[in-house]
Amino acid sequence: RMDRALSPASPAGLSAYVVVSQLLGLMLLATTGAWLGRYRGGVAWHSLLQFNVHPLCMVLGMVFLQGDALLVYRVFRHEAKRSTKALHALLHGLALVIALVGIIAVFESHRTKGIPDMYSLHSWCGMAAFVLYLLQWLLGCGFFLLPGASFSLRSRYKPQHVFFGIALFALSIATCLLGITEMLLFNIRDSYSHFVPEGVLANTLGVLLLAFGLVVGYVLTRDDWKRPPLAEELALSMDFKTLTEGESPGGGS
């Protein structure tokens, strides 16, 4: 669990918020599974239940794993920066693969049932979130993980990378909320207003999505909870700047 990696020297309160985020994440997955299993017949690939793979993959990949990938730099505060970067990229990459499976599932399910694609606001937001998330991942790997980008390019791109990381996480949660509402209106339109158990459970999932997003967002936006640079990282950064920009370690920017 991610909370176990927190150092005793972590800022006060950070450990508690990370633990709460992970508990909310597990509750998200459990509630999604309960909804699909109890009221939507379960999950299967080669059957009429293929559609149900879609919401499960999106909650797991685009919300839970994406949120954990964003938390990596807050949790692993004293590990080597290179290892932290690799874990950050790996979790995002895994989220993308799982989300892709979910997208394939919904398109194949629609084709089998003769349902049109890409007409709803949910589908527009969802495809935008996935494509932008893939682009964000590719740019992040190119600028920060792979060699080649200069120090000045990395410095200029970093604020955009951070902003769009949080923005895409928020868009992913909003898209899931649209998807939950869409599923409920398609499946229990006539009884939804009577507070039937399926509607209450799905609404609870929506509240959990919001809670997870708020907790992760709070951890990410606390300036005093940012990962402090280690001494060797500062030295390597100066060496990298010297090599790529032709400046001396003591020179001005």
Side-chain angles (χ1 to χ4, degrees):
R1 285 252 305 266
M2 294 185 71
D3 54 280
R4 291 178 182 171
L6 290 169
S7 165
S10 296
L14 175 59
S15 300
Y17 273 92
V18 171
V19 169
V20 169
S21 75
Q22 298 309 285
L23 290 176
L24 286 171
L26 294 176
M27 290 171 65
L28 272 178
L29 299 178
T31 305
T32 304
W35 179 24
L36 298 176
R38 176 68 178 83
Y39 297 104
R40 296 292 105 213
V43 175
W45 189 261
H46 295 293
S47 77
L48 295 177
L49 300 176
Q50 186 178 29
F51 175 85
N52 292 344
V53 174
H54 176 71
L56 182 62
C57 285
M58 293 313 181
V59 171
L60 173 59
M62 295 296 287
V63 178
F64 181 61
L65 286 178
Q66 183 179 176
D68 273 5
L70 295 175
L71 290 175
V72 159
Y73 286 105
R74 301 297 183 271
V75 174
F76 297 97
R77 305 175 62 80
H78 304 287
E79 284 70 24
K81 187 69 171 290
R82 183 78 179 179
S83 300
T84 309
K85 283 183 182 180
L87 179 60
H88 179 73
L90 179 63
L91 286 175
H92 279 309
L94 182 59
L96 278 166
V97 171
I98 292 173
L100 180 60
V101 172
I103 291 173
I104 293 171
V106 74
F107 275 104
E108 288 196 357
S109 175
H110 282 182
R111 188 183 71 248
T112 300
K113 298 176 182 177
I115 299 173
D117 297 313
M118 298 302 300
Y119 66 89
S120 67
L121 179 60
H122 166 68
S123 62
W124 288 15
C125 291
M127 190 56 67
F130 179 78
V131 172
L132 292 173
Y133 189 36
L134 175 60
L135 180 61
Q136 167 89 344
W137 184 74
L138 291 173
L139 287 173
C141 289
F143 275 97
F144 302 115
L145 196 60
L146 302 177
S150 68
F151 184 87
S152 61
L153 279 176
R154 291 185 178 190
S155 299
R156 286 198 295 268
Y157 176 65
K158 184 178 179 180
Q160 283 77 31
H161 184 73
V162 172
F163 170 78
F164 283 108
I166 297 175
L168 287 172
F169 179 58
L171 176 59
S172 299
I173 291 176
T175 303
C176 285
L177 296 177
L178 289 172
I180 290 171
T181 302
E182 193 174 282
M183 278 187 69
L184 291 174
L185 293 178
F186 281 156
N187 293 305
I188 60 169
R189 179 192 302 271
D190 296 332
S191 59
Y192 186 23
S193 62
H194 299 296
F195 293 92
V196 292
E198 179 177 359
V200 172
L201 182 62
N203 287 351
T204 301
L205 173 59
V207 172
L208 288 171
L209 282 164
L210 283 174
F212 180 73
L214 289 172
V215 172
V216 171
Y218 181 73
V219 173
L220 294 176
T221 54
R222 279 283 297 264
D223 285 338
D224 55 329
W225 287 357
K226 289 182 178 179
R227 182 184 189 274
L230 304 180
E232 56 268 28
E233 292 171 9
L234 291 173
L236 286 172
S237 177
M238 292 306 302
D239 289 342
F240 180 79
K241 186 174 183 180
T242 301
L243 289 171
T244 58
E245 306 297 332
E247 297 176 0
S248 64
S253 56

